[in-house]
Amino acid sequence: MNDTQVGIIGTGFYVPDKVLSNQDLEKMVETSDEWIVTRTGIKERRIAAADQATSDLAFEAAKKAIANAGLAAEDIDLIIVATVTPDKFFPATAVILQEKLGARKAAAFDLSAACSGFIYGLATASNFISTGMYRHALVIGADVLSRITDYTDRNTSILFGDGAGAAVLGRVPKGRGFRSFVLGADGSGGELLQLEGGGSRCPSSVESVQQGRHYLRMNGKEVFKFAVRVMDSASEEALRKAGLEKTDIDLLVPHQANIRIIQSALERLELSKDKCVINVDRYGNVSAASIPIALAEAVEQGKVHEGDRLLFVGFGGGLTWGASVLVW
Ligand code: UT7
């Protein structure tokens, strides 16, 4: 990375009010609270209201992050929305959000990297700022997974929730800011986690809907194995690139997919649970929103202090993965 220090100068998050508990799911599919808690660590997740789309959730998170940064919407030069559930195919959700915010100066685009999207977005925005092209960037992870979840499929319906998390990036004093980024992709695993209906390969039709191809499908076992492997390797690489050791980490902010995946990462990194942000029990897997919600919540709760070394790490459909070290 070059000499310009880029960091996170504001955070915010939003989750819808409606709670879908494991007990609610027991009435919808053949499952139990005990199975879900033991296998995933999830107790409940949030579900967007019928009139809430991804940009609405993103808007609430973005407003908070911009205010937290002490800025106004007109100060934002770039908006990146990482999502797999955009409001529409196009225009991009980021552009819809630009209008809602009144961020008239901002360029805006969406980024599709599933659950790794927020880290991909941070890396992208950080580079725009370090080259001097932009001063302030808003990076948002937002998803309304309930719109693409098949609530008759117990393999997936128990996992996902809705929400949005946002971060404002800008220049920070020397010694702080991002120290490394690791981004990866392996398209050979694309079919392990996908939504194929409605795209140019399988356009929406009565048949595609009857076949349930407008829903997310996943091979959970294989994704699990991939996740454990890549959380470890991406974390190690991000630390190595930052010139740090495992023992230097003050706070791990991992993708919140499954408590067992997080526990495995903690073991490999030899970290205690109190050095990790965990909210998978309350929000489930919120895809691209899960890391920024975890970060914003930790900031709000006073768990992040100046000079702390944070490690972000996540994985998702694509397959994709990402990790980053940031000095707060
Ligand atoms: O952001 C990335 C998104 N994806 C992920 O992170 C997912 C990663 N994978 C996982 O988290 C786990 O693989 C799951 C939580 C999805 C599944 O847990 P698992 O321990 O891998 O279970 P399994 O798929 O091996 O299933 C074990 C058993 C099966 O029954 P049999 O074949 O052993 O009789 C499943 O049919 O559990 C059954 N099962 C369930 N039982 C009750 C699967 N889902 C459920 C359920 N309730 N909801």
Side-chain angles (χ1 to χ4, degrees):
M1 300 192 111
N2 67 27
D3 283 343
T4 310
Q5 301 294 307
V6 181
I8 293 179
I9 59 171
T11 55
F13 77 101
Y14 172 79
V15 289
D17 294 335
K18 188 181 168 194
V19 172
L20 180 70
S21 68
N22 290 352
Q23 288 72 21
D24 295 327
L25 282 160
E26 283 176 349
K27 295 177 197 134
M28 297 159 71
V29 286
E30 188 62 43
T31 191
S32 66
D33 174 52
E34 198 264 330
W35 191 96
I36 302 172
V37 171
T38 321
R39 300 292 179 120
T40 72
I42 302 168
K43 293 180 182 148
E44 56 185 45
R45 59 297 280 144
R46 299 299 179 97
I47 304 294
D51 62 353
Q52 281 182 313
T54 297
S55 68
D56 300 315
L57 276 52
F59 177 60
E60 298 301 330
K63 273 194 304 189
K64 290 183 191 165
I66 294 170
N68 185 241
L71 298 176
E74 298 79 41
D75 299 323
I76 302 296
D77 305 302
L78 172 69
I79 301 174
I80 300 176
V81 174
T83 186
V84 290
T85 50
D87 286 24
K88 311 173 182 182
F89 260 115
F90 70 90
T93 302
V95 181
I96 298 171
L97 179 64
Q98 185 238 29
E99 161 66 14
K100 280 187 207 282
L101 288 168
R104 288 171 292 112
K105 265 175 41 195
F109 62 88
D110 287 359
L111 191 155
S112 177
C115 307
S116 315
F118 182 72
I119 296 177
Y120 267 69
L122 290 179
T124 307
S126 166
N127 279 302
F128 271 114
I129 296 170
S130 42
T131 60
M133 183 162 169
Y134 293 127
R135 205 171 155 76
H136 297 123
L138 176 62
V139 181
I140 296 163
D143 270 303
V144 183
L145 292 172
S146 61
R147 298 281 149 74
I148 58 166
T149 297
D150 178 356
Y151 285 99
T152 66
D153 175 11
R154 70 176 184 175
N155 293 301
T156 53
S157 60
I158 56 145
L159 297 173
F160 301 114
D162 303 335
V168 177
L169 273 63
R171 298 207 181 96
V172 292
K174 219 170 164 21
R176 295 169 64 182
F178 291 106
R179 290 294 172 83
S180 65
F181 283 109
V182 172
L183 302 178
D186 175 8
S188 71
E191 290 184 359
L192 296 177
L193 179 49
Q194 64 173 346
L195 191 163
E196 54 175 0
S200 57
R201 179 75 60 198
C202 172
S204 299
S205 65
V206 172
E207 289 74 31
S208 77
V209 173
Q210 281 169 347
Q211 290 161 1
R213 293 165 91 169
H214 54 301
Y215 290 130
L216 169 163
R217 300 291 175 203
M218 180 179 70
N219 179 331
K221 245 188 186 10
E222 289 306 313
V223 174
F224 189 98
K225 284 192 252 172
F226 152 75
V228 168
R229 196 174 63 242
V230 86
M231 293 276 279
D232 184 34
S233 57
S235 297
E236 295 228 332
E237 197 182 338
L239 285 171
R240 188 169 43 72
K241 278 186 163 180
L244 297 177
E245 305 288 333
K246 291 173 186 177
T247 47
D248 295 322
I249 304 171
D250 295 303
L251 194 66
L252 176 68
V253 189
H255 175 42
Q256 310 279 320
N258 185 318
I259 194 68
R260 288 153 59 212
I261 296 172
I262 295 173
Q263 272 159 355
S264 155
L266 285 174
E267 276 164 35
R268 302 286 187 103
L269 291 164
E270 295 165 38
L271 282 177
S272 58
K273 222 172 158 189
D274 61 307
K275 288 198 167 184
C276 182
V277 187
I278 299 174
N279 61 21
V280 67
D281 51 328
R282 290 177 291 122
Y283 302 137
N285 180 345
V286 200
S287 188
S290 95
I291 290 176
I293 291 175
L295 173 66
E297 208 170 42
V299 170
E300 200 177 88
Q301 293 167 353
K303 290 181 184 162
V304 191
H305 313 102
E306 193 175 319
D308 278 357
R309 283 161 296 218
L310 272 56
L311 172 62
F312 301 103
V313 60
F315 62 92
L319 300 167
T320 56
W321 60 90
S324 175
V325 171
L326 169 84
V327 180
W328 192 256

